[in-house]
Amino acid sequence: MSDRSLRGMRLGAQSMETEAGVEPAPRQRVEYRCEDGEQVFVTFAAEAEIPALWVSKTGKEAVLVDGEKPDEASTEKSVRTHWDMLMERRSVPELEQTLEDRLKILRARRGEKVS
């Protein structure tokens, strides 16, 4: 056990490299404001796309300062159900035929009379 341990270091807690010459990525600080006047500051990468809305730590919706509030209709994404995705790939007659084929196989396995 003692031959595998490292002395004088905590595992994964510290780096042996210095931070000399390391330059952090460019960033921008963006301000959002809630309806009640609460200011929210968020730091993004310089090349990041800035969202028009942000939820503050208190759970309130904040709008980008000097930005427009997006329309309610554009923020809501319609949910695609399993049935919607199925209907994109198959028509109703194809589904009915597939159902009949699968029922014939199931009935044959059970030993029922197949018509």
Side-chain angles (χ1 to χ4, degrees), residues 25-98:
R27 299 170 192 206
Q28 58 182 327
R29 188 172 186 221
V30 180
E31 180 183 357
Y32 291 90
R33 195 165 286 145
C34 297
E35 287 183 7
D36 63 356
E38 178 187 354
Q39 292 179 319
V40 179
F41 294 98
V42 183
T43 304
F44 291 99
E47 66 274 358
E49 185 176 324
I50 307 300
L53 293 176
W54 191 262
V55 178
S56 70
K57 290 181 180 179
T58 58
K60 299 178 211 163
E61 191 175 84
V63 180
L64 180 64
V65 173
D66 299 329
E68 296 179 7
K69 187 173 183 174
D71 297 334
E72 290 297 323
S74 64
T75 57
E76 292 180 19
K77 185 176 179 181
S78 62
V79 178
R80 282 179 49 196
T81 63
H82 176 73
W83 179 254
D84 295 332
M85 292 184 273
L86 183 63
M87 293 307 293
E88 290 174 6
R89 297 187 310 265
R90 304 277 192 270
S91 65
V92 173
E94 287 177 320
L95 291 171
E96 288 174 350
Q97 183 60 44
T98 303

Side-chain angles (χ1 to χ4, degrees), residues 6-19:
L6 296 174
R7 292 186 178 184
M9 267 310 273
R10 288 179 278 174
L11 293 175
Q14 296 175 338
S15 173
M16 299 295 283
E17 294 183 23
T18 64
E19 293 185 14

Side-chain angles (χ1 to χ4, degrees), residues 4-5 15 46 62 112:
R4 286 195 228 158
S5 64
S15 173
E112 295 177 12

